[in-house]
Amino acid sequence: MTADAPRPAAAATTARATDRPGDASPFALGLLLRQAHWRAAAVMSEALRPLGIELRHFAVLIVLVDRGPTVQRDLAAATGTDKAGIMRVVDDLERKGLAVRKSVPGDRRVRAVEITPQGVELFDAAHAGAEPLTESLVTDLAPGERELLTDLLTRFAYPADGEA
């Protein structure tokens, strides 16, 4: 840009996203949520590492514990994973003995994924192992702020009008 070229007017008035605390750009909330997600995911991954699984595996186990046997396309939708990705995760879980695929009565093309007793054991162990690490995420919050943060994030993720 030459010295005598005019600067765009919007640049002088629009805040630019910086990914720093206090950023006033329209992207600030999304960037902050991304940073919070990365931090929480790192802590959860650390809790799962000794159990030999990753967060993507645990996400599927959560759905299976919550919903029971679930077809792969519904697992993909529930975990935000594509079709190929969910097949790899379910393959991993089967190899580890944590889940099995079973035929769905009435539709031989569809397979439901079901958590095994070993998968339930691992699921419970993950919760026990995650507790002290999870506490490290909220150590800087004042009394009552953890509950407030949980409430705010819940309302943000699951709006009352159903537009999640």
Side-chain angles (χ1 to χ4, degrees), residues 12-71:
T13 60
T14 302
R16 289 199 171 104
T18 64
D19 204 15
R20 289 190 299 257
D23 184 349
S25 83
F27 294 97
L29 180 60
L31 293 170
L32 187 58
L33 287 169
R34 181 186 67 175
Q35 189 65 36
H37 166 74
W38 285 345
R39 182 170 174 228
V43 167
M44 296 298 101
S45 294
E46 186 63 29
L48 296 171
R49 187 171 291 115
L51 300 172
I53 64 168
E54 299 171 19
L55 210 43
R56 61 195 179 107
H57 301 118
F58 194 66
V60 169
L61 293 178
I62 289 171
V63 175
L64 296 178
V65 166
D66 183 48
R67 298 183 183 178
T70 306
V71 296

Side-chain angles (χ1 to χ4, degrees), residues 63-164:
V63 175
L64 296 178
V65 166
D66 183 48
R67 298 183 183 178
T70 306
V71 296
Q72 287 184 178
R73 78 173 165 274
D74 293 344
L75 280 176
T79 60
T81 309
D82 62 26
K83 187 172 142 182
I86 203 67
M87 287 180 65
R88 286 190 299 273
V89 171
V90 173
D91 287 346
D92 290 348
L93 292 172
E94 274 193 316
R95 264 192 304 280
K96 293 174 183 293
L98 304 174
V100 293
R101 286 180 177 101
K102 293 188 173 182
S103 297
V104 173
D107 191 344
R108 64 182 191 182
R109 297 169 298 156
V110 178
R111 310 279 277 171
V113 181
E114 184 176 327
I115 193 168
T116 64
Q118 183 181 348
V120 172
E121 258 182 58
L122 182 131
F123 184 82
D124 292 341
H127 282 83
E131 190 63 37
L133 293 171
T134 309
E135 286 302 316
S136 73
L137 283 172
V138 294
T139 182
D140 291 334
L141 300 182
E145 287 184 332
R146 176 185 186 155
E147 293 77 14
L148 177 59
L149 178 61
T150 300
D151 179 58
L152 292 171
L153 288 172
T154 300
R155 288 189 283 147
F156 185 85
Y158 304 100
D161 60 12
E163 289 185 24

Side-chain angles (χ1 to χ4, degrees), residues 2-13:
T2 63
D4 49 325
R7 300 193 80 159
T13 60

